[in-house]
Amino acid sequence: MPKRVLQGVVVSDKQDKTVVVRVERRFTHPLLKKTVRRSKKYHAHDEGNAWSTGDTVWIEEHRPLSKLKNWIVVQGEKRAEV
């Protein structure tokens, strides 16, 4: 079975070699027929501490690395500096 890959935004990089990524999904509400946004946070492994808050990253399923970390950052884009 292929590993899932999700895209999200880094919301926290305070931990060593770990980033917290918020992944947002959009779906149509079955009764109201309105587009609804739901988000979930994932702890992902960032080996080189390369990603910071606001960066867009892609995370992939991985074997458990700790109690909360089951994902690893595979690639990403730095947030544009203003």
Side-chain angles (χ1 to χ4, degrees), residues 9-28:
V9 177
V10 176
V11 292
S12 175
D13 62 345
K14 294 184 184 301
Q15 301 173 67
D16 187 33
K17 296 186 179 183
T18 302
V19 290
V20 180
V21 180
R22 185 182 69 234
V23 175
E24 193 173 87
R25 64 186 181 93
R26 294 171 61 166
F27 63 96
T28 304

Side-chain angles (χ1 to χ4, degrees), residues 40-59:
K40 185 173 178 180
K41 292 179 185 174
Y42 295 93
H43 291 251
H45 185 66
D46 174 19
E47 182 62 38
N49 289 323
W51 306 108
S52 58
T53 305
D55 296 341
T56 302
V57 295
W58 283 262
I59 57 175

